Amino acid sequence: MYAFDYHRARSLEEALKLFATLDEATFLAGGHTLLPTMKNRLAAPENLIDISALPELSGIGMQGGVLRIGAAMTHHAVAASSLVAETIPALAALAGSIGDVQVRHVGTMGGSVANNDPAADYPAAVLSLGAEIETDRRRIPADDFFQGLYATALEEGELIVAIRFPVPETAGYGKYRNPASRYALAASFVSIRDGAVRVAVTGAGKNGVFRWEAAEQALMGHCSASRIADLRPESDALLSDMHADAAFRANLVNVVTRRAAEHLGGASIV
Amino acid sequence: MQDVTLTVNGKTETRRVEGRTLLVQFLREHLGLTGTHVGCDTSQCGACTVILGGRAVKSCTILASAAAARGEVLTIEGLGDEEALSPMQEAFHRHHALQCGFCTPGMVMAAHNMVQRHEGELTEAIVRRELEGNLCRCTGYHNIVKAVLAAAEAHRAVASAPAGQD
């Protein structure tokens, strides 16, 4: 890691002010992606602004029919929340499948969504559930937020404050983990709200998380795994690497989506 | 450089360190607490596991400055010593849950925290799942899991013993 100065913000206002005044600044939440990236010298900010303790980014609560989760909530906090378990149990199960217990104690939902790693779990839930990303200045619909590998609609210095999840009728998550990293080799989040089915796939797409519209249409009206038994995404849009080639990933996307549809109200994590 | 104050194993310590100083470096290089190991330095192996604010964390992936806001630190040195092993250390000893010992401090801290968080209510499945973040390359996990389950059982026995009896 190159040298930098550390700053701890005590309020959202202070964090934004620090960002505006400091050179080459980056926000630090749990740091479980940022610090490894900095150790590899793939990022070299001159100033880190610690936002993990901001009161504005904390808390999990219901507002109308919307589950609002503060951006600084850890994966452990989401996985252990009785409110999340009651309203969107698949989301609690997803959070509990990230990394390992030590990682879940520190890594945050906002950090994961802002980073938009193509194999991260949260983007699948955010996109499938049609969540809104609430920032310091606006609300961004999930369909507009994710813009390719590690790319999002966030502007320079824009900070995620919370994610707002409309509570669906039901949802399920199917994940096939890379056994070493526990990132998704392929994972699929299926949700039903107002009769509409939305399927979001992570870990597999060349451009990161994507909606699998062919599966959505096949599952519309009757969300049964048998309806997508022979359906696979086009493999030329899928990642191919040492862990899995595109054809294998296309098959995995089919498998995890069927499992998600078979585990509505929960998850299948393998 | 900035002053970082941390309470480690019940003792409050202040050191002047760089912003980029990791918690594990603060413990090992500035406080001389070398029981916490660095295995992979990539947040995978868990040899650097310590307890911060009541939760097991990987001290190679937390800045010392950031840790200062997250509560007290407990390391292997604060758990027990050769004269008085903690129940988890005793269980590792009794069940031969180590060979080379490199991963052991992290294993013991993760296991200790697991028993505390679950109040001793552990099953083999939970233990195996919650040790996913700790890698052992020689003993294998069989005896480690046995040791954690034995310590959990001992924890439950102590918790359910009638109070006030000698």
Side-chain angles (χ1 to χ4, degrees):
Chain A
M1 254 191 298
Y2 291 110
F4 58 83
D5 288 327
Y6 169 91
H7 311 266
R8 186 183 308 138
R10 284 164 188 77
S11 69
L12 181 59
E13 190 187 351
E14 188 187 359
L16 298 172
K17 194 175 286 181
L18 281 168
F19 190 92
T21 52
L22 294 167
D23 287 334
E24 296 289 321
T26 297
F27 294 118
L28 169 74
H32 272 42
T33 298
L34 180 58
L35 293 178
T37 307
M38 290 170 63
K39 284 183 183 184
N40 286 329
R41 297 187 168 178
L42 297 172
E46 287 175 23
N47 291 283
L48 282 191
I49 303 165
D50 189 341
I51 53 165
S52 59
L54 301 190
E56 295 90 342
L57 273 56
S58 180
I60 299 175
M62 284 296 293
Q63 291 181 353
V66 173
L67 178 69
R68 183 181 183 276
I69 302 181
M73 299 310 287
T74 63
H75 310 319
H76 171 79
V78 175
S81 161
S82 54
L83 186 57
V84 178
E86 283 162 22
T87 51
I88 317 178
L91 183 61
L94 173 151
S97 80
I98 299 171
D100 53 54
V101 68
Q102 291 99 317
V103 167
R104 292 193 291 275
H105 281 157
V106 183
T108 69
M109 191 183 64
S112 170
V113 172
N115 190 49
N116 192 19
D117 186 299
D121 293 271
Y122 274 122
V126 170
L127 188 58
S128 170
L129 291 165
E132 281 186 322
I133 290 83
E134 179 184 332
T135 75
D136 59 281
R137 60 198 72 167
R138 57 181 170 151
R139 289 184 188 174
I140 309 170
D143 283 314
D144 300 335
F145 184 81
F146 300 106
Q147 301 187 348
L149 303 183
Y150 303 102
T152 69
L154 290 172
E155 296 165 354
E156 179 77 3
E158 186 171 14
L159 188 57
I160 300 179
V161 173
I163 313 282
R164 305 170 61 85
F165 296 94
V167 175
E169 279 135 59
T170 187
Y173 190 51
K175 178 180 180 184
Y176 187 86
R177 307 193 303 173
N178 176 320
S181 71
R182 287 172 288 276
Y183 273 96
L185 213 48
S188 183
F189 201 100
V190 173
S191 64
I192 305 173
R193 184 162 57 94
D194 301 332
V197 179
R198 285 172 66 112
V199 178
V201 174
T202 189
K206 263 185 189 163
N207 291 314
V209 68
F210 65 91
R211 275 179 70 187
W212 187 16
E213 280 152 13
E216 293 178 354
Q217 283 156 21
L219 293 169
M220 196 70 76
H222 182 59
C223 193
S224 160
S226 61
R227 288 204 173 183
I228 52 168
D230 300 316
L231 195 62
R232 279 160 187 71
E234 292 294 328
S235 57
D236 56 7
L238 301 184
L239 286 167
S240 209
D241 58 27
M242 63 182 282
H243 303 295
D245 65 20
F248 180 50
R249 272 199 168 86
N251 191 63
L252 271 184
V253 169
N254 169 281
V255 171
V256 294
T257 305
R258 283 192 286 120
R259 286 181 183 165
E262 285 163 356
H263 289 80
L264 293 174
S268 161
I269 311 291
V270 179
Chain B
M1 301 286 274
Q2 56 196 180
D3 286 334
V4 170
T5 300
L6 277 167
T7 300
V8 180
N9 302 331
K11 201 170 156 201
T12 301
E13 308 266 14
T14 301
R15 296 290 186 279
R16 196 155 184 79
V17 300
E18 285 188 288
R20 62 179 163 178
T21 304
L22 299 166
L23 176 57
V24 71
Q25 293 172 316
F26 189 89
L27 296 171
R28 289 178 57 86
E29 295 165 22
H30 296 272
L31 301 184
L33 296 171
T34 54
T36 302
H37 291 169
V38 180
C40 66
D41 200 18
T42 56
S43 34
Q44 297 177 76
C45 80
C48 67
T49 300
V50 301
I51 297 168
L52 174 62
R55 302 208 175 280
V57 301
K58 293 181 172 175
S59 62
C60 78
T61 314
I62 292 187
L63 299 173
S65 300
R70 291 172 176 253
E72 297 190 7
V73 180
L74 182 67
T75 72
I76 191 76
E77 289 91 347
L79 210 55
D81 57 33
E82 287 169 35
E83 277 70 47
L85 294 176
S86 74
M88 189 58 72
Q89 290 168 312
E90 179 66 32
F92 269 62
H93 170 65
R94 187 179 302 274
H95 293 276
H96 192 64
L98 63 150
Q99 282 181 30
C100 87
F102 191 87
C103 74
T104 309
M107 284 282 180
V108 169
M109 298 313 288
H112 173 79
N113 187 240
M114 193 194 310
V115 170
Q116 299 284 319
R117 284 184 290 107
H118 291 272
E119 297 177 347
E121 299 293 337
L122 292 177
T123 62
E124 181 180 339
I126 297 173
V127 173
R128 287 187 180 275
R129 179 174 142 78
E130 294 220 354
L131 282 181
E132 280 181 339
N134 292 80
L135 302 182
C136 169
R137 297 292 80 153
C138 48
T139 312
Y141 301 94
H142 186 76
N143 285 359
I144 294 171
V145 173
K146 267 201 329 201
V148 179
L149 287 171
E153 194 181 334
H155 181 93
R156 290 199 304 272
V158 171
S160 63
Q165 288 190 350
D166 280 317

